[in-house]
Amino acid sequence: MQDIKQQLIGDLKSATTAEQVEQLRVNYLGRKGIITTLAKNTDFSKFSPEEKKEFGQKLNELKNFATEQIGAAVEQSRSLGEKSSKREIDLTAPGAGHRLGSLHPITMTQMELEDIFQGMGFSVLYGPEVESEYFCFEALNIPPDHPARDMQDTFWLKNHLILRTHTSANQVRTLKRFGAPVRAIFPGRCFRYEAVDPSHENTFYQCEGLMVDKNISVANLIAVMKTILSEVFRKEVKVRLRPGFFPFVEPGFELDLQCLLCGGKGCPTCGDGWIELIPCGLVHPEVLRHGGIDPHEYSGFAFGIGLTRLAMMKYGIHDIRHLNSGDLRFNEQFAPML
Ligand code: PHE
């Protein structure tokens, strides 16, 4: 009995979980437990009455000892278990917080442009990113052997379709579909075979615009561009036109914005005080004809805002590669304050 007691004390020390303690109870006090079988297996016939009495007393002591100790261990393991499960729902712990998503700077710039143009009566249309050669080049006066195709080399698909190199591909689509008069912008993703560096990407965004009506002139083009840019930059801006060549406009221009950083005096960002921003011009008569519009009756202007470039200027982003990086740390910086 002394041995059993010592063994039990040792076992109790190593039993920590409620399950282990319960197993001890079964091992010692259960129907087939060590203490129970000890009483059953003892041959009392050999004992004198005194010995029987003493054995009975000792056995009872051992049983009581075991019952008490195991009972205490059960209590202890229960309260330990309660404590640890309480810890899991500690109501005083600081919250995990919600991660708020944020719009991409290009998306924000695009949405802003869409709002401004819609306020001026322009529709917003989205053409396909996978285009035909016809809409991307031929309908825009760029025949297969034209050098302008070299500057807009792109990704050719096996079925002779291409990834569009500019949103101008939507000009003739729109004219064919809606006829004249028409006023629309086409923001979207474009693709070119470019070596990627801080200012070049193979995937970028433009926002094309087209307005065709009777008596549309360069004066209308300038007025619309000035209004748009003043809205985007939230102040009155100065613009200038330089001649520029694009096969699908005549005359064609580069519209420059007077630098907003130095006010036109000249600085490291702009050089001479002007930033080249929007290629544009009056729609070439041949393009109108492709769209089924009579160039003697109607005229119009088209422009191609570099949406990626505009977003970079607006948000002060110096490396174009951040935009397609998928790095949330970059994106989260532009989340509006709540
Ligand atoms: N599509 C031309 C480009 O990507 C830009 C452009 C658009 C020029 C509209 C004139 C008119 O380079």
Side-chain angles (χ1 to χ4, degrees):
M1 281 190 229
Q2 204 52 43
D3 288 347
I4 294 174
K5 192 173 169 182
Q6 287 312 317
Q7 191 189 327
L8 173 61
I9 291 170
D11 282 353
L12 278 168
K13 273 189 192 142
S14 54
T16 48
T17 67
E19 288 84 350
Q20 285 167 340
V21 176
E22 169 61 11
Q23 192 55 50
L24 276 192
R25 201 189 57 74
V26 174
N27 287 353
Y28 283 88
L29 298 167
R31 263 194 312 128
K32 292 179 182 166
I34 300 170
I35 296 173
T36 322
T37 44
L38 177 68
K40 267 190 207 154
N41 294 348
T42 304
D43 186 1
F44 287 94
S45 63
K46 288 180 190 154
F47 286 8
S48 68
E50 283 80 9
E51 284 173 326
K52 262 192 214 168
K53 197 179 159 195
E54 200 193 345
F55 184 91
Q57 268 178 3
K58 290 254 146 69
L59 186 67
N60 266 339
E61 278 172 27
L62 179 61
K63 245 193 208 166
N64 291 342
F65 176 79
T67 312
E68 252 176 54
Q69 293 297 311
I70 293 175
V74 167
E75 280 302 311
Q76 211 178 0
S77 67
R78 263 201 208 129
S79 71
L80 264 182
E82 262 170 34
K83 260 188 210 150
S84 67
S85 66
K86 256 187 206 145
R87 212 176 289 138
E88 277 167 35
I89 50 158
D90 179 1
L91 297 179
T92 64
H98 291 285
R99 274 176 76 105
L100 282 184
S102 57
L103 293 173
H104 194 280
I106 289 187
T107 310
M108 290 193 284
T109 311
Q110 177 177 333
M111 286 164 74
E112 195 179 343
L113 277 179
E114 289 180 2
D115 268 359
I116 300 169
F117 275 109
Q118 276 176 323
M120 295 175 75
F122 283 73
S123 307
V124 180
L125 304 172
Y126 307 101
E129 290 176 354
V130 175
E131 258 298 358
S132 68
E133 239 188 299
Y134 173 75
F135 285 120
C136 198
F137 295 126
E138 267 162 54
L140 296 174
N141 270 341
I142 311 175
D145 56 355
H146 198 286
R149 288 212 183 186
D150 288 346
M151 293 188 300
Q152 299 200 7
D153 203 358
T154 188
F155 303 92
W156 291 79
L157 309 184
K158 285 196 176 126
N159 55 10
H160 296 295
L161 294 178
I162 54 176
L163 298 189
R164 68 177 175 200
T165 57
H166 52 183
T167 44
S168 302
N170 281 321
Q171 288 188 17
V172 172
R173 272 182 183 285
T174 303
L175 293 177
K176 274 186 189 297
R177 186 163 164 205
F178 295 102
V182 70
R183 243 186 281 184
I185 59 164
F186 331 115
R189 201 153 49 152
C190 305
F191 310 85
R192 287 187 201 180
Y193 183 70
E194 290 274 8
V196 175
D197 68 22
S199 52
H200 294 89
E201 250 289 7
N202 50 42
T203 305
F204 56 96
Y205 285 75
Q206 291 187 334
C207 179
E208 189 89 3
L210 176 71
M211 177 167 183
V212 176
D213 207 333
K214 290 190 169 139
N215 301 317
I216 295 292
S217 71
V218 176
N220 300 113
L221 169 63
I222 295 174
V224 170
M225 294 295 92
K226 261 193 84 159
T227 309
I228 296 303
L229 291 172
S230 299
E231 291 272 340
V232 169
F233 292 104
R234 304 215 163 83
K235 56 170 137 174
E236 187 79 12
V237 296
K238 286 215 169 90
V239 298
R240 75 173 185 193
L241 291 187
R242 285 179 295 120
F245 175 74
F246 303 93
F248 40 95
V249 285
E250 181 59 38
F253 306 105
E254 293 285 358
L255 184 139
D256 298 340
L257 174 71
Q258 191 173 65
C259 181
L260 297 170
L261 298 178
C262 65
K265 287 191 207 84
C267 71
T269 306
C270 63
D272 65 348
W274 296 90
I275 291 173
E276 186 179 317
L277 196 61
I278 307 178
C280 54
L282 294 191
V283 183
H284 196 288
E286 201 50 31
V287 175
L288 290 174
R289 258 182 229 115
H290 273 288
I293 311 285
D294 180 359
H296 295 294
E297 197 181 349
Y298 287 100
S299 57
F301 63 77
F303 56 89
I305 299 175
L307 186 51
T308 296
R309 184 128 185 243
L310 193 65
M312 287 174 74
M313 283 182 55
K314 200 168 151 60
Y315 292 100
I317 300 163
H318 296 290
D319 192 324
I320 196 170
R321 291 172 293 191
H322 288 308
L323 294 164
N324 289 352
S325 68
D327 188 339
L328 292 182
R329 290 171 307 175
F330 166 74
N331 232 30
E332 280 163 355
Q333 300 172 70
F334 307 100
M337 295 298 225
L338 293 179

